[in-house]
């Protein structure tokens, strides 16, 4: 029996090649490489390696793959990478602070059927696994937003040679405003697409508002959307700041 | 003057946020279920455990001193026992200072026993929500527009889920296809305004998304769902395959809209500045814009779909399952969802260029 996964992967690779040429092939490769990193991330955590350290290393690799394989322009990719690393720092701090109060690790009553026959006493803290899930779920959106803003600003810098350095931050903010709506939508619909089943479950089984709002799985999904939003929004000032900083630095270098 | 306004907005947002969080922290009185505050925790015992796969874990029994915060039993103190493990797969380790939801077991009208049903999670969720909303409010009108679009889409989503449940899952694909159309109309109007660009973006989104779904359905058909385990979908209360397709449509919608607006806004501008530009040049420009954003966009969805499976993957791997089996039981559907979404994202590029060529006819672009 032919495997649907392989057929779909071949179709996607072919389309990406036809539409994007070399860039398209690189885009396809970035998905495959990111998948390998994700898989190793899980495997290492399941082998009791420290989850936080593993996740941060995986996150840096994923950001690098997504950003550097996405574009040819070195300045754009470097700016986007630095700013997304800064956003990653912000998000890790936020997640570490909020997670002890959310306690969304592991599984809910809604998973009971999937857990049948499983040993749950596996000696791995699901708390750590959840940290990994929360951090990694936002990486794509952060990288995408950082690339969009860095690209927009770079175009502006190239077309306006006498651009006032002090105003770069301001321009970055304006460009950020333009992309923020669509970037949030991408994230928002992405999440809705992954928990449509869960929501029909809540409605079908008549969860009360308090049951639903305090539910472990709902809290997990909802907090991940919100953390993703906060990540994407903070990409705007941080990218603008990184570009201003590096531009100022480069000019100082030139004048010496 | 402008500074003052900004400062007032900033301070106002912080004060309102703090007030909301403070209210939610003390909202036990609006709960129908009993809510308790953990006053003290005492560890009763700790027992080491080892399962068939050699995993070492432990189970701790804790006694919680709980003060009831609402209802007839308000301010009453009681002791409740709780068990948790090191892994905390389905149990929780409660700490002093937390609020919990309780269940009273009545016998002859008296409370005979109390169990903790769950943690009260509304406060941390409200904190995150107020941070996100405050950041959007501080972005000014653009942020407010984005916020409005998200709220409106959430309400519509719930209405559609309600309809789907009332239809017992029949026509789930039709319901969510129509919803996807409405979502794109609203979102694109809010992003682009009510004009021709919006219309072309809307058509691109619809055609792109549905072409991808049709390709996916054809592949499922000719392979007889080869290798796909729809039965492994989580939280399924209805026929899984159409639900899965509906999830793909919704999931990829944002990314496809993002891409089509990017391409169409640039191409329409190009055509306006240079009305004689040929179809071929439009296609090349569209390709150049599209090819750099399709990879990052697909990665956005890929991370969301994959990271959700981590806990289950770790559980499978520690239960002595191989990589291949664990993948096909947990990650495969997310992977397929990413692939089909990716096909939609790629197809959007030529569709957008083609539709701009048709709708923004040479010389007839004054209203664009």
């Amino acid at each position: 029996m032919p495997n649907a996964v392989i057929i779909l992967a071949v179709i996607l690779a072919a389309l990406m090649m036809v539409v994007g040429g070399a860039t398209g092939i690189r885009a396809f490769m970035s998905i495959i490489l990111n998948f390998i990193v994700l898989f190793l991330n899980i495997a290492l955590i399941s082998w009791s390696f420290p989850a936080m350290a593993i996740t941060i290393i995986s996150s840096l690799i994923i950001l690098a793959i997504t950003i550097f394989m996405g574009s040819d322009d070195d300045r754009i990719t470097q700016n986007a990478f630095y700013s997304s690393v800064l956003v990653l720092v912000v998000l890790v701090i936020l997640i570490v602070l909020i997670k002890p109060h959310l306690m969304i690790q592991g599984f809910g009553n809604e998973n009971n059927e999937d857990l049948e026959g499983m040993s749950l006493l596996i000696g791995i803290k699901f708390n750590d696994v959840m940290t990994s899930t929360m951090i990694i779920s936002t990486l794509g959106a952060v990288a995408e937003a950082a690339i969009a803003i860095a690209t927009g600003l770079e175009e502006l810098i190239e077309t306006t040679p006498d651009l006032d350095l002090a105003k770069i931050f301001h321009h970055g903010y304006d460009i950020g405003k333009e992309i923020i709506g669509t970037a949030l939508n991408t994230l928002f619909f992405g999440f809705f697409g992954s928990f449509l089943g869960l929501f029909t479950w809540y409605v079908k089984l008549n969860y009360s508002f308090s049951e639903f709002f305090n539910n472990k799985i709902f809290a997990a999904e909802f907090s991940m959307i919100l953390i993703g939003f906060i990540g994407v929004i903070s990409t705007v000032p941080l990218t603008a700041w990184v570009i201003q900083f590096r531009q100022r630095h480069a000019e100082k270098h030139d004048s010496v | 003057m402008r500074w003052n306004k900004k400062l007032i907005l900033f301070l106002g947002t912080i004060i309102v946020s703090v007030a909301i969080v403070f209210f939610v922290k003390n909202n036990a009185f609006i709960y129908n279920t009993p809510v308790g505050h953990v006053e003290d925790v005492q560890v009763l015992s700790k027992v080491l455990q080892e399962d068939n796969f050699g995993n070492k874990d432990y189970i701790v029994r804790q006694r919680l001193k709980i003060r009831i915060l609402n209802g007839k039993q308000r301010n009453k103190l009681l002791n409740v026992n709780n068990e948790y493990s090191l892994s905390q797969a389905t149990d929780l380790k409660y700490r002093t200072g937390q609020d919990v939801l309780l269940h009273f077991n009545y016998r002859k009208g008296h409370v005979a026993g109390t169990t903790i049903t769950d943690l009260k999670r509304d406060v941390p969720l409200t904190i995150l929500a107020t941070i996100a909303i405050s950041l959007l409010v501080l972005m000014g009108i653009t942020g407010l527009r984005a916020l409005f679009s998200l709220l409106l889409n959430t309400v519509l989503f719930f209405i559609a889920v309600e309809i789907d449940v009332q239809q017992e899952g029949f026509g789930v694909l039709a319901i969510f296809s129509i919803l996807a159309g409405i979502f794109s109309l609203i979102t694109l109007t809010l992003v682009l305004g009510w004009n021709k660009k919006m219309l072309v973006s809307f058509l691109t989104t619809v055609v792109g998304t549905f072409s991808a779904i049709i390709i996916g359905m054809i592949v499922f058909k000719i392979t007889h769902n080869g290798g796909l385990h729809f039965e492994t979908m989580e939280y399924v209360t209805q026929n899984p395959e159409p639900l899965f397709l509906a999830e793909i449509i919704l999931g990829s919608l944002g990314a496809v809209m993002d891409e089509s607006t990017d391409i169409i806004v640039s191409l329409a501008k190009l055509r306006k500045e240079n009305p004689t530009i040929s179809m071929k040049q439009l296609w090349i420009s569209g390709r150049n814009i599209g090819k750099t954003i399709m990879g990052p966009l697909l990665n956005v969805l890929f991370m969301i779909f994959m990271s959700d499976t981590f806990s289950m993957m770790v559980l499978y791997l520690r239960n002595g399952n191989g990589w291949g089996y664990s993948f096909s039981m947990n990650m495969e559907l997310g992977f397929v969802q990413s692939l089909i979404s990716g096909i939609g994202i790629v197809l959007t590029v030529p569709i957008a260029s083609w539709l701009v060529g048709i709708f923004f006819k040479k010389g007839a672009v004054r209203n664009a």
Side-chain angles (χ1 to χ4, degrees):
Chain A
M1 191 89 67
N3 189 309
V5 180
I6 294 173
I7 296 178
L8 287 167
V10 170
I11 294 176
L12 179 63
L15 283 172
M16 282 194 145
M17 198 167 75
V18 172
V19 171
T23 321
I25 295 171
R26 280 212 311 255
F28 184 78
M29 287 310 295
S30 76
I31 299 286
I32 301 300
L33 289 176
N34 277 337
F35 175 69
I36 294 170
V37 177
L38 284 181
F39 210 96
L40 283 176
N41 179 68
I42 300 169
L44 289 171
I45 291 174
S46 81
W47 291 331
S48 309
F49 281 85
M52 193 59 156
I54 296 293
T55 302
I56 289 177
I57 296 169
S58 309
S59 301
L60 292 174
I61 300 174
I62 289 169
L63 286 175
I65 291 172
T66 310
I67 293 171
F68 290 107
M69 291 184 79
S71 168
D72 294 320
D73 191 312
D74 283 346
R75 285 227 299 210
I76 291 176
T77 50
Q78 282 174 16
N79 288 333
F81 182 70
Y82 288 129
S83 62
S84 55
V85 171
L86 285 181
V87 177
L88 178 67
V89 173
V90 172
L91 290 184
V92 169
I93 294 171
L94 181 66
I95 289 170
V96 167
L97 287 176
I98 202 84
K99 232 177 40 111
H101 305 283
L102 277 168
M103 299 218 290
I104 44 176
Q105 64 270 29
F107 311 98
N109 297 329
E110 294 78 9
N111 296 106
N112 280 349
E113 207 179 310
D114 308 313
L115 299 178
E116 245 167 62
M118 294 269 191
S119 160
L120 297 176
L121 299 171
I122 59 168
I124 300 260
K125 288 184 179 156
F126 277 103
N127 199 11
D128 294 345
V129 182
M130 197 62 206
T131 311
S132 192
T133 301
M134 291 178 93
I135 295 174
I136 289 179
S137 68
T138 62
L139 289 181
V142 169
E144 202 257 333
I147 295 172
I149 299 166
T151 311
L153 260 182
E154 201 60 37
E155 271 169 18
L156 194 77
I157 293 172
E158 269 166 25
T159 49
T160 12
D162 51 347
L163 191 69
D164 186 0
L165 248 183
K167 284 195 176 146
I168 286 189
F169 187 82
H170 213 82
H171 288 300
Y173 212 72
D174 285 341
I175 291 169
K177 277 181 178 174
E178 276 171 34
I179 67 126
I180 201 80
T182 49
L184 292 183
N185 274 321
T186 306
L187 199 63
F188 175 80
F189 285 112
F191 272 105
F192 268 17
S194 73
F195 60 39
L196 176 56
L198 182 65
F199 275 76
T200 51
W201 176 294
Y202 291 142
V203 173
K204 194 158 193 164
L205 300 184
N206 275 321
Y207 277 48
S208 70
F209 185 74
S210 72
E211 272 177 303
F212 156 77
F213 201 73
N214 293 293
N215 179 271
K216 196 196 256 182
I217 303 178
F218 170 77
E221 297 288 349
F222 190 52
S223 58
M224 277 194 275
I225 293 190
L226 291 171
I227 288 168
F229 277 10
I230 295 169
V232 169
I233 299 170
S234 46
T235 311
V236 176
L238 287 175
T239 308
W241 182 77
V242 163
I243 292 175
Q244 191 181 34
F245 181 80
R246 280 170 51 94
Q247 194 81 5
R248 194 167 276 168
H249 224 72
E251 263 171 40
K252 242 184 224 163
H253 231 75
D254 287 346
S255 61
V256 172
Chain B
M1 185 65 204
R2 238 184 103 240
W3 251 114
N4 273 339
K5 253 189 190 164
K6 262 191 184 165
L7 196 68
I8 290 169
L9 182 68
F10 185 69
L11 288 176
T13 320
I14 289 180
I15 292 168
V16 172
S17 304
V18 171
I20 292 173
V21 172
F22 182 78
F23 171 75
V24 175
K25 176 96 187 111
N26 297 292
N27 69 352
F29 67 93
I30 57 171
Y31 272 76
N32 288 325
T33 42
V35 179
H37 183 77
V38 181
E39 301 267 322
D40 192 35
V41 179
Q42 207 185 332
V43 173
L44 299 178
S45 65
K46 180 173 172 177
V47 184
L48 291 175
Q49 301 265 337
E50 190 169 337
D51 69 7
N52 299 336
F53 309 100
N55 298 317
K56 291 186 176 63
D57 210 307
Y58 56 73
I59 292 180
V60 174
R61 276 171 71 85
Q62 54 179 189
R63 173 166 291 166
L64 311 174
K65 192 200 251 181
I66 288 177
R67 186 162 52 86
I68 309 289
L69 295 175
N70 61 352
K72 278 182 204 153
Q73 317 282 332
R74 195 168 164 216
N75 285 329
K76 210 172 163 187
L77 282 171
L78 36 92
N79 287 317
V80 183
N81 287 351
N82 177 53
E83 272 188 4
Y84 69 87
S85 57
L86 162 102
S87 48
Q88 294 190 50
T90 52
D91 42 48
L92 293 173
K93 176 188 178 181
Y94 293 105
R95 298 185 309 265
T96 309
Q98 288 181 321
D99 289 345
V100 290
L101 304 178
L102 301 167
H103 179 76
F104 294 142
N105 303 310
Y106 285 99
R107 200 178 300 149
K108 293 176 189 160
H110 292 283
V111 178
T114 312
T115 40
I116 301 177
T117 48
D118 214 341
L119 180 75
K120 187 166 172 281
R121 296 190 172 86
D122 51 2
V123 176
L125 286 181
T126 310
I127 292 175
L128 286 176
T130 49
I131 295 176
I133 292 172
S134 304
L135 288 172
L136 282 176
V137 169
L138 292 174
M139 283 199 110
I141 196 79
T142 345
L144 288 175
R145 208 184 292 148
L147 184 64
F148 178 67
S149 145
L150 295 174
L151 291 177
L152 195 59
N153 286 338
T154 308
V155 172
L156 288 173
F157 177 75
F158 275 100
I159 294 172
V161 169
E162 191 72 50
I163 296 173
D164 172 51
V165 170
Q166 275 170 16
Q167 304 286 322
E168 314 246 319
F170 288 110
V172 55
L173 202 51
I175 293 168
F176 285 97
S177 301
I178 294 168
L179 181 71
I182 300 172
F183 273 163
S184 359
L185 267 181
I186 293 173
T187 312
L188 291 170
T189 309
L190 283 167
V191 172
L192 296 171
W194 183 259
N195 53 32
K196 209 166 169 183
K197 274 185 280 196
M198 179 262 145
L199 183 73
V200 178
S201 299
F202 173 69
L203 280 178
T204 307
T205 306
V206 171
V207 176
T209 309
F210 286 96
S211 317
I213 285 294
I214 289 166
I215 290 175
M217 284 166 92
I218 292 172
V219 171
F220 292 167
K221 196 111 206 161
I222 57 172
T223 58
H224 304 285
N225 295 342
L228 294 183
H229 301 275
F230 288 113
E231 75 280 4
T232 62
M233 266 177 86
E234 288 177 313
Y235 323 120
V236 166
T237 50
Q238 55 197 48
N239 187 6
E241 195 184 330
L243 185 70
F244 180 65
L245 292 170
E247 286 191 350
I248 299 178
I249 293 178
L250 280 186
S252 63
L253 200 61
V256 172
M257 280 195 283
D258 191 340
E259 196 186 18
S260 64
T261 49
D262 266 7
I263 298 174
I264 284 160
V265 168
S266 309
L267 291 189
K269 203 170 138 199
L270 210 66
R271 191 120 220 204
K272 198 175 180 181
E273 284 165 0
N274 185 2
T276 55
I277 194 166
S278 71
M279 200 66 190
K280 197 178 169 201
Q281 281 164 308
L282 272 185
W283 158 244
I284 292 170
S285 306
R287 239 186 79 165
N288 281 335
I289 303 163
K291 73 181 183 186
T292 54
I293 48 180
M294 61 190 190
L297 272 180
L298 180 50
N299 272 307
V300 176
L301 299 183
F302 189 62
M303 294 301 146
I304 295 173
F305 299 155
M306 286 290 124
S307 58
D308 243 6
T309 62
F310 284 4
S311 294
M312 222 32 136
M313 278 299 284
V314 170
L315 186 68
Y316 265 72
L317 290 172
R318 293 290 282 202
N319 270 265
N321 296 299
W323 287 18
Y325 180 71
S326 303
F327 169 82
S328 66
M329 294 306 281
N330 296 302
M331 294 182 116
E332 194 175 63
L333 285 180
F335 200 78
V336 168
Q337 189 173 3
S338 309
L339 291 173
I340 297 177
S341 306
I343 292 173
I345 290 171
V346 181
L347 286 176
T348 301
V349 181
I351 294 169
S353 313
W354 177 61
L355 286 176
V356 168
I358 290 181
F359 280 87
F360 294 85
K361 282 262 185 310
K362 290 179 189 178
V365 286
R366 251 165 293 146
N367 299 323

